[in-house]
Amino acid sequence: MPVTLLNSPEASSLPVYAVEADALDACQAPKAAIAWAKANGFSGAAATVLTIPGESGALAGAFFGLGNSDAANPLAAGALARQLPEGDWHFADVPKQAELALLGLLLGSYAFTRYGKKPRNTLRFRVPEGVDASRVERLANGCILARDLINTPAGDMGPDALEDATRALASEHGATLSVTLGDDLLKENLPMIHAVGRAAEAAPRLLDLKWGRENAPKVTLVGKGVCFDTGGLDLKPAAGMLLMKKDMGGAANVLGLASMIMAAKLDVRLRVLIPAVENAVAGNAFRPGDVLTSRKGLTVEIGNTDAEGRLVLADAMALADEEEPELLIDMATLTGAARVALGPDVPPFYTDNEALADALAQASESVADPLWRMPLWKPYLSRLDSKIADINNVSLDGFAGSPIAGLFLGRFVEKAKSWAHFDIYGWNPAEKPYAPVGGEAQGIRAIERVLVQRYGAGA
Ligand code: BES
Ligand code: MN
Ligand code: ZN
């Protein structure tokens, strides 16, 4: 990582002075430095950085703008990782939300370098007092894993590569991975995963990772692993297909979350289920009008092959549900409708468990990981009625697309003690101080917070 953390105070590191909007005079920096800032028109605007020269022309420090403190995002410290020159640095004063500031730095230093783009400047940053650096690193590593997986194009991140990445994570933490591949999906009664993925060159599969003490509370994460979504026979138009390498964003996010959980050694029996498929077009593709029989036994009429995520998730979630987990979480780039409702940066989540909803909303706020609850509005279930099967995979009009997709999934969850569904975008369409354009982790730091509250920080 281009930003590494200094645990012991280094006498030589340079100070970063945080400045609220138009509050230069309140800053602890030397008078000459403040005069320099004024001469340069630096006003403390959010996420701006100005370096300070020393007497001999060497660097003496930097100013960092916090902007209007009410609107300030603590992760905006990431701008430092993107703008400071190479060297050793520290915050002149411990930032208000120091853990998030440090996390912002690590996240802001991220670049996707697999295809030759240069990494960002190498910085070393002193850990502010009272901050648990290893926790911050666990969180950053999980988010960066999710970003890397999403950013890798489908040509290099097909179902096989997603399996490899899952296996690598499993072996790093002593987890087990079992894989149900190709026609074995039919033998193991996972027919909808097979139907969606069978037209692709790479065989569809279900990845099943397990970790932790067998008798610990069961927490199961299910992630949509559609490595590319052409829409199937109801093909997407070019503009809608362009970004569909990110349709395994749910899988990438649950793997990032799993890495946080395992690195923190939370006392849970973790299970991660990823249906890894490509929604491709070929002579053996599933068709509009087909009726699939799901693992659960419910028959599903295919109104549109582009509503494939809910199909592969339904079989994985039915399997998850069979062992009655204490908490079932699924994450998926499930609907365009979620973006229409809340935009790319605020994923909606759905649950009927009030305590879980409250915990998630609070955690989301406290760790600056946006989430917003939307309703599983039961009367809308009738919009999925089918003339010939138990349920259709789409409703006829576009109304409430994201809630209805959630209701569809809910038909496959019965025994889990609690369940939450996250309809994420998995992508930053615009650069942020703590993130470049590209794949993004969403919601997993908030979920991690809730899991730590419930299952202890571990060893
Ligand atoms: N992967 C897409 C949803 C998606 C599209 C998420 C763009 C983020 C950005 C999903 O498989 C899909 O195509 N959903 C359809 C559902 C429709 C056919 C009911 C959609 O949202 O249009
Ligand atoms: Mn689709
Ligand atoms: Zn999809």
Side-chain angles (χ1 to χ4, degrees):
M1 227 179 300
V3 170
T4 50
L5 301 180
L6 293 169
N7 283 299
S8 54
E10 294 272 327
S12 60
S13 64
L14 297 172
V16 172
Y17 301 100
V19 182
E20 294 193 359
D22 302 316
L24 256 176
D25 289 317
C27 172
Q28 300 302 310
K31 290 233 154 46
I34 292 177
W36 165 260
K38 286 182 180 163
N40 276 281
F42 178 88
S43 65
T48 54
V49 176
L50 177 71
T51 51
I52 306 167
E55 274 172 25
S56 59
L59 278 174
F63 288 106
F64 174 61
L66 297 173
N68 190 320
S69 60
D70 296 336
N73 184 332
L75 297 170
L80 291 165
R82 302 158 78 75
Q83 295 180 52
L84 282 182
E86 310 222 332
D88 294 0
W89 298 88
H90 65 270
F91 289 111
D93 296 301
V94 176
K96 266 190 206 140
Q97 290 173 275
E99 181 177 303
L100 290 175
L102 201 63
L103 179 65
L105 265 169
L106 295 184
L107 295 177
S109 76
Y110 173 83
F112 181 57
T113 55
R114 176 165 174 158
Y115 301 100
K117 289 285 185 192
K118 287 208 188 68
R120 294 188 182 279
N121 286 352
T122 306
L123 307 179
R124 302 202 305 158
F125 224 94
R126 200 194 297 171
V127 176
E129 232 166 279
V131 171
D132 177 350
S134 53
R135 178 179 156 73
V136 174
E137 283 178 320
R138 286 197 297 276
L139 296 174
N141 289 341
C143 293
I144 285 168
L145 173 64
R147 287 178 177 178
D148 276 340
L149 292 173
I150 296 171
N151 283 330
T152 305
D156 290 325
M157 190 47 67
D160 36 13
L162 188 54
E163 177 185 329
D164 292 345
T166 306
R167 180 165 292 111
L169 183 69
S171 64
E172 190 183 332
H173 296 281
T176 60
L177 178 67
S178 71
V179 179
T180 308
L181 182 71
D183 288 346
D184 281 352
L185 290 167
L186 299 175
K187 281 193 214 127
E188 298 295 328
N189 191 26
L190 296 156
M192 297 208 294
I193 299 175
H194 184 272
V196 170
R198 73 188 179 208
E201 183 70 27
R205 64 204 72 191
L206 179 69
L207 313 177
D208 187 348
L209 177 151
K210 282 192 182 133
W211 174 89
R213 189 168 62 86
E214 188 51 43
N215 295 321
K218 289 184 170 58
V219 172
T220 300
L221 314 176
V222 181
K224 173 176 171 181
V226 175
C227 294
F228 195 75
D229 183 9
T230 65
L233 288 170
D234 287 352
L235 199 69
K236 286 184 184 295
M241 205 187 295
L242 186 59
L243 266 183
M244 282 300 118
K245 70 172 182 182
K246 76 173 177 72
D247 214 18
M248 32 59 76
N253 270 272
V254 298
L255 288 173
L257 176 55
S259 104
M260 295 174 188
I261 293 170
M262 295 188 290
K265 299 194 166 54
L266 296 190
D267 189 24
V268 295
R269 204 300 308 269
L270 175 68
R271 187 179 195 188
V272 180
L273 288 168
I274 295 175
V277 304
E278 197 181 322
N279 188 19
V281 176
N284 62 342
F286 76 125
R287 310 163 191 83
D290 278 355
V291 175
L292 307 180
T293 300
S294 65
R295 175 180 188 84
K296 202 175 170 58
L298 288 174
T299 55
V300 181
E301 183 182 10
I302 304 304
N304 194 314
T305 62
D306 199 6
E308 84 297 338
R310 61 195 75 181
L311 302 173
V312 297
L313 287 171
D315 273 359
M317 287 166 66
L319 174 65
D321 194 59
E322 287 161 19
E323 60 171 4
E324 303 181 28
E326 181 160 316
L327 175 59
L328 173 61
I329 282 174
D330 80 85
M331 306 189 84
T333 51
L334 202 61
T335 70
R339 264 67 279 156
V340 175
L342 296 179
D345 297 343
V346 186
F349 72 94
Y350 299 84
T351 181
D352 280 336
N353 186 305
E354 297 304 316
L356 181 57
D358 290 349
L360 284 166
Q362 268 184 34
S364 155
E365 177 80 27
S366 73
V367 302
D369 192 9
L371 288 171
W372 205 261
R373 188 185 187 186
M374 299 224 291
L376 288 165
W377 189 255
K378 298 291 178 314
Y380 287 163
L381 251 183
S382 64
R383 310 193 69 88
L384 292 171
D385 286 349
S386 162
K387 292 268 190 293
I388 63 170
D390 291 325
I391 190 171
N392 200 295
N393 76 330
V394 295
S395 60
L396 284 177
D397 54 48
F399 293 144
S402 179
I404 287 175
L407 287 168
F408 179 94
L409 295 178
R411 290 296 306 273
F412 299 85
V413 179
E414 260 172 8
K415 299 188 205 142
K417 309 276 189 310
S418 59
W419 164 55
H421 157 59
F422 296 77
D423 193 344
I424 62 171
Y425 193 57
W427 191 263
N428 275 315
E431 184 166 317
K432 296 187 169 71
Y434 51 90
V437 169
E440 186 59 301
Q442 294 187 307
I444 57 177
R445 291 186 299 106
I447 300 170
E448 188 266 1
R449 192 72 246 150
V450 173
L451 295 178
V452 168
Q453 285 160 6
R454 292 184 173 193
Y455 306 113

